[in-house]
Amino acid sequence: MGTREYQVYNPIDIPKSLETDYQQAVPGFFEHDDPQRPLDALPPRFGLLDESADRWATFTSKIVKLNQEAPNGTHFKVFFLGRHGQGHHNVAENKYGTKAWDDYWSKLNGDGELVWGPDPDLTDVGIRQAKEAHAAWEAERKLEVGIPLPEKLYCSPMTRAMHTHIITFDGIITVENQKTLILENCREEYGEHTCDKRRSRTVIHSEFPQLEIEDGFTEEDELWTPERESEEHIITRAKAILDRVFDADAGQFISITAHGGIINAILMAVGRRKYALPTGGVLPIVIKVTNRVV
């Protein structure tokens, strides 16, 4: 597919060219393709319907065949969408309830007992959840024909997501093989909530040197404002992520470690309903993109 320049879209500058239906989810592979299925953070086999011993070989061959037989300009990729483990802001929202959190507490940095802003880290529970995601990957990787490992990995620039990513793929994906790329667009729905204001580029690079930061990443957070990002805009941002991945990456298996808001935006961008993925959860999805002129 053709290349083009990517940017982080500001709420006042949403390209109309992205408001299309050329990105579509392909159902029939995973349990959560059915919205009536119960919600689990880490279901067996990551929810793959095929329970056979050679399930991942069969799945991979199906994806390869889809791409081989696709008409010119149509491409299929598998996205493993990982949500960060529990952060201190999640504890605070549970403490006060969603309405009080949205109306008042989310605008503060803490309550004298908990500190959740800006950019909170994982709790002990969140660290455990990330380790459980790691164990799930290891279990499927150690099969005779294991799960296809991501050929390209992306991550949100928020601390809770970066820590989750590093714990999840420790020893599974090595830095020598490929560096994970931090994308600004992978961050959570931003604005208003202090927990969604990121740290500086310098601090991120200093604390996570094993991760690569995309070109054009600003030193300070220039996107966070006292006004919450709209749903329309975060879906547009999700479409931009998919555009970048399909244009820049030849691989068929992609990992994105991020947040509930942007994961749901990706789902809505490809025609899926919102999915209440628990913290520490992983949701695989097959996405089809049909090329178009921008």
Side-chain angles (χ1 to χ4, degrees):
M1 301 177 72
T3 59
R4 54 182 172 273
E5 185 176 355
Y6 297 93
Q7 66 185 76
V8 176
Y9 296 114
N10 291 312
I12 59 173
D13 183 26
I14 301 175
K16 295 297 182 184
S17 59
L18 290 179
E19 298 176 0
T20 64
D21 60 356
Y22 61 88
Q23 301 162 338
Q24 297 176 330
V26 181
F29 294 101
F30 297 97
E31 292 180 7
H32 31 255
D33 290 340
D34 178 357
Q36 303 305 316
R37 293 274 184 171
L39 307 179
D40 294 318
L42 296 166
R45 309 173 306 281
F46 290 109
L48 188 69
L49 291 170
D50 184 355
E51 299 181 22
S52 66
D54 60 350
R55 53 185 173 267
W56 292 112
T58 301
F59 175 68
T60 300
S61 67
K62 288 180 178 178
I63 300 302
V64 170
K65 185 177 181 181
L66 282 173
N67 278 309
Q68 288 176 340
E69 297 181 352
N72 187 37
T74 297
H75 305 267
F76 297 82
K77 291 187 189 294
V78 181
F79 287 76
F80 292 93
L81 305 176
R83 186 183 177 193
H84 64 79
Q86 183 193 70
H88 294 284
H89 63 304
N90 299 123
V91 176
E93 182 175 355
N94 290 337
K95 177 179 179 180
Y96 291 108
T98 297
K99 187 178 188 308
W101 169 256
D102 286 339
D103 290 347
Y104 178 73
W105 292 104
S106 64
K107 301 174 178 64
L108 306 180
N109 287 332
D111 63 359
E113 176 187 3
L114 298 170
V115 177
W116 56 75
D119 190 19
D121 205 344
L122 298 176
T123 64
D124 289 343
V125 170
I127 292 172
R128 187 183 75 239
Q129 290 172 336
K131 290 179 178 178
E132 290 169 353
H134 172 88
W137 275 99
E138 281 284 21
E140 294 302 306
R141 183 171 77 113
K142 289 181 177 178
L143 298 172
E144 184 174 346
V145 180
I147 187 172
L149 295 181
E151 297 161 277
K152 183 64 181 180
L153 301 96
Y154 295 94
C155 189
S156 158
M158 309 306 290
T159 299
R160 55 195 183 269
M162 293 185 289
H163 266 158
T164 298
H165 173 83
I166 288 170
I167 294 170
T168 298
F169 291 105
D170 181 34
I172 296 175
I173 303 291
T174 62
V175 175
E176 290 73 20
N177 291 339
Q178 56 179 304
K179 272 198 170 186
T180 297
L181 184 63
I182 296 172
L183 293 184
E184 186 87 271
N185 272 333
C186 285
R187 65 189 289 178
E188 181 59 297
E189 180 181 357
Y190 53 73
E192 190 177 31
H193 296 191
T194 61
C195 60
D196 298 322
K197 184 174 183 179
R198 72 160 169 85
R199 295 186 293 173
S200 70
R201 187 189 193 284
T202 298
V203 170
I204 292 171
H205 176 67
S206 174
E207 296 196 7
F208 299 94
Q210 65 272 60
L211 305 181
E212 183 180 358
I213 301 175
E214 68 174 323
D215 293 339
F217 193 87
T218 59
E219 173 63 19
E220 301 297 336
D221 187 349
E222 298 179 3
L223 296 178
W224 192 94
T225 71
E227 183 177 350
R228 195 69 169 159
E229 182 182 18
S230 70
E231 183 174 273
E232 178 186 13
H233 185 263
I234 194 173
I235 293 173
T236 301
R237 187 153 57 88
K239 287 178 176 291
I241 295 171
L242 296 177
D243 277 345
R244 176 174 186 140
V245 171
F246 273 91
D247 277 10
D249 298 325
Q252 297 175 113
F253 300 95
I254 307 295
S255 168
I256 297 177
T257 306
H259 312 263
I262 189 64
I263 288 173
N264 272 320
I266 291 172
L267 295 180
M268 289 187 286
V270 297
R272 281 275 299 270
R273 296 180 183 179
K274 290 183 178 181
Y275 186 95
L277 184 66
T279 51
V282 177
L283 189 151
I285 181 173
V286 180
I287 296 177
K288 168 187 175 182
V289 163
T290 302
N291 202 2
R292 79 281 178 229
V293 177
V294 177

